Amino acid sequence: TQLLEQSPQFLSIQEGENLTVYCNSSSVFSSLQWYRQEPGEGPVLLVTVVTGGEVKKLKRLTFQFGDARKDSSLHITAAQTGDTGLYLCAGLGSSYKLIFGSGTRLLVRP
Amino acid sequence: NAGVTQTPKFRILKIGQSMTLQCTQDMNHNYMYWYRQDPGMGLKLIYYSVGAGITDKGEVPNGYNVSRSTTEDFPLRLELAAPSQTSVYFCASSKDGNYEQYFGPGTRLTVT
């Protein structure tokens, strides 16, 4: 069974601080996606990483896929209150099924 | 485009009742999915479909049924509702299995 573990589960920081969220597995994934979910809404895709070692940047967000394609990280620079939400990583497993991590709930305080 | 729409938004069921959660997408996507999300957790796949007439089980299919008679619609049927089915249900679609999944706004279901 392919599993994804995210850490930390919950993070509360002050606006302007930096943070890193981790997504780890013992399984290899062909690609990994990061979603953000706001209360009362469905997840929205932020990025997809495909190649081992790949780094993608989305404004203040930096995503990295591990060399062995088993783990990923999301780094946010100078967090803003608008970054508050639930961040979910999801690995593409067999039969094109997404395996979701349990999520990291981020609260950015003003 | 409306994207992925789900109805109803909220529903309270009594134990043993049945209901159908509706999901429609207007993006002509081949793949459609049903997930459930329990409080503080990620999403677990219930059923998915790779095209009209084709469905398959996900991680947690027990207590649910699906059908896919058209490209647009992918209803989820709950038979004999149980408290363990209290959750938020999300429908999603994608162009094919490798592409981004687009999610609906969810249905919040409570079984008492």
Side-chain angles (χ1 to χ4, degrees):
Chain A
T1 303
Q2 293 175 302
L3 292 173
L4 277 168
E5 292 186 359
Q6 285 187 243
S7 61
Q9 287 186 305
F10 181 74
L11 195 54
S12 177
I13 62 170
Q14 205 74 32
E15 197 169 29
E17 292 183 351
N18 302 332
L19 68 117
T20 302
V21 174
Y22 299 94
C23 176
N24 296 298
S25 177
S26 58
S27 304
V28 175
F29 291 97
S30 56
S31 66
L32 197 134
Q33 300 176 356
W34 283 92
Y35 289 81
R36 184 168 77 197
Q37 184 179 18
E38 302 199 12
E41 299 181 8
V44 176
L45 182 72
L46 295 172
V47 77
T48 301
V49 285
V50 179
T51 307
E54 183 176 4
V55 177
K56 279 192 174 179
K57 292 194 174 186
L58 187 66
K59 297 183 181 177
R60 295 175 293 100
L61 279 61
T62 301
F63 304 85
Q64 184 161 8
F65 201 13
D67 291 341
R69 291 186 288 133
K70 292 182 178 182
D71 54 83
S72 181
S73 64
L74 158 60
H75 182 79
I76 301 179
T77 303
Q80 299 176 355
T81 55
D83 296 326
T84 292
L86 179 66
Y87 289 82
L88 295 160
C89 66
L92 189 63
S94 58
S95 303
Y96 301 113
K97 290 183 275 192
L98 274 182
I99 309 297
F100 279 85
S102 56
T104 293
R105 193 166 297 279
L106 173 65
L107 173 64
V108 182
R109 306 186 306 275
Chain B
N1 286 354
V4 179
T5 56
Q6 293 183 238
T7 57
K9 288 188 187 296
F10 303 94
R11 183 73 186 266
I12 298 175
L13 279 182
K14 293 189 185 303
I15 294 171
Q17 287 185 324
S18 301
M19 76 164 295
T20 299
L21 281 65
Q22 302 292 345
C23 175
T24 299
Q25 54 93 7
D26 61 0
M27 297 173 282
N28 201 33
H29 284 170
N30 291 317
Y31 284 61
M32 295 188 74
Y33 311 82
W34 273 106
Y35 294 91
R36 60 176 286 172
Q37 185 177 34
D38 297 327
M41 302 295 288
L43 284 76
K44 292 190 184 301
L45 183 65
I46 305 172
Y47 271 96
Y48 68 104
S49 168
V50 302
I54 306 169
T55 63
D56 206 350
K57 296 177 181 178
E59 188 181 359
V60 289
N62 291 343
Y64 308 94
N65 275 301
V66 294
S67 59
R68 183 98 181 269
S69 56
T70 67
T71 300
E72 295 78 20
D73 299 307
F74 190 39
L76 177 72
R77 177 85 178 158
L78 278 72
E79 305 281 3
L80 297 175
S84 60
Q85 294 178 303
T86 293
S87 190
V88 181
Y89 291 84
F90 289 99
C91 178
S93 72
S94 67
K95 183 179 175 182
D96 71 28
N98 283 319
Y99 282 80
E100 168 185 4
Q101 292 190 16
Y102 293 82
F103 285 81
T107 294
R108 186 174 296 274
L109 175 68
T110 301
V111 181
T112 60

